[in-house]
Amino acid sequence: MSAAAAGDAQRRTGNPLAPAWLSVPQDLAALDPAIWPEDFGRDAAGRLTVGGIPADELVGRWGSPLYVYSEDAFRRRARQFRDAFAEAFAPLGAEVSVYYAGKSFLTTEVVRWVREEGLNVDTASGGELAVALRGGMPPERIALHGNNKSAAEIVRALEAGIGRIVVDSLAEIELVGRLARGLGVVAPVMIRVTPGVHASTHEFIATAHEDQKFGLSLAAPEDGGDSPALQAVAACTADPALDLRGLHCHIGSQIFDAEGFGLAAERVLALAAEAAERFGTELPELDLGGGYGIAYTEADDPRPAREIAESLAGKVAAAARALGTAVPHLSIEPGRAISGPSGCTLYTVGTLKTVAVEPGAQRRYVSVDGGMSDNARPVLYGADYTAVLAGRPAAAGPVLSRVVGKHCESGDVVVRDVYLPEDLAAGDVLAVPATGAYCWALSSNYNWVPRPPVVAVRTEGEQPGARLIVRGETEDDLLARDLGA
Ligand SMILES: *Cc1c(COP(=O)(O)O)cnc(C)c1O
């Protein structure tokens, strides 16, 4: 087959190198509403807009790569979780606290959004705790997680008076108790238990024993005796410096339905009932963690917050009824489901290269001015993304493309498979959606590349328009800690 004939065939049927889930787009300008929140659109000239502001203007002002968030989308998604869960659990007589998982994307500005929308915040290190406090989050609305918290981190949390420390081991229960006593305070704690349920995307696995670093297992040891989780309840109950509020679990990430959460809730509530019976410990709270999935590509089909909340409420109510206990105060910890779809990354296209991979099948490599330093997820987890031409409308048909970064690694992929216009050229602005979670947070200076700035766009409120919320790194920033020469 000639190259031209192969090109024609690929336009009709798709490139044989493309994964089965990837469809050939009918309209290269279309923004899949499952992936792009309503805050992203196209203007009359065919340019991608964020809150009405053209993406190429944002790049003109702040350069690329550029992280752009729709503050409206972030706040709306935060409210959707807050309201959906509150409404689903209200008929059960239970209140719900939503803790935004700060590790997905946290800056002082984000803390303000979260605070103003009535959510709490989860932190997982002394650094995240410092950002939450600096951002003005009331300490009682902050939680501290971690499987290896330092004494300094625990002291900082206790001195600040944060709402809860999620304890992760028997040794840590001892340590938190000792440090609280030393400060003359009572530490509010939750126990992280591993319920033997791992969920990811469409499936969950239920096991008895867990082979992971987090939490305390619900499974009794083979030689009999109490499970580590039950021992933890006993230890917390026995220590007057600890105020045990309840049990916590987190079963995975990018989860699309409520089945796994339901089974985890059943198991954890059963432990709470056993604790009440054995030690008289009343556990008024249940935290089911985060992990609510989002659409990165057309292959993902997440359920709306309302559907998950209703399904979960049904399962928690059934479990409580079966055990004859009250429905506890519920907490959830969504991270990516709030921050992920709210952000996108803008890149400028550089080198284009078409590689003959097999007879009749070629792949176009599109190099952009960022890569694994601003989005480590494809390298770290094999994560898939998609992309669109952002600065102008397409003038030609779709070509299977792989968007790659500028780093010295052949695995430096941003978007593994996407159809982009054949007329894509150096200087075009490309937008990758759903990069709001775990991209900026995981960014690095690999190859001494400075980290990009973060811009937030708001259409409502007192400050409509686009503004910088984190400036980009400069060469001086890169060299600031280098003590040589
Ligand atoms: C990572 C994490 C979350 C958030 O996960 P998402 O997938 O971003 O929702 C919540 N709770 C705990 C304990 C976590 O470790």
Side-chain angles (χ1 to χ4, degrees), residues 36-41 49-52 70-74 76 459-460:
W36 296 89
E38 66 204 57
D39 316 83
F40 298 83
T49 57
V50 188
S70 162
E71 183 182 339
D72 299 334
F74 186 107
R76 189 175 59 249
T459 61
E460 305 154 7

Side-chain angles (χ1 to χ4, degrees), residues 99-104 122 124 145-146 166 192 214 248-250 252-255 287-293 332-339 437-438:
Y99 285 78
Y100 167 67
K103 73 178 198 251
S104 70
D122 255 355
H145 283 274
V166 182
R192 177 155 177 173
F214 290 112
H248 171 283
C249 65
H250 173 72
S253 275
Q254 188 59 358
I255 302 168
D287 188 327
L288 290 177
Y292 306 95
I332 56 164
E333 305 173 332
R336 96 184 53 221
I338 293 172
S339 57
Y438 305 107

Side-chain angles (χ1 to χ4, degrees), residues 32 196 235 252 306 451:
D32 183 344
R306 184 161 309 279
R451 272 176 281 232

Side-chain angles (χ1 to χ4, degrees), residues 190 202 234 293 320 385 387 408 422:
M190 302 277 288
H202 289 297
Y385 284 88
C408 299
E422 193 166 13

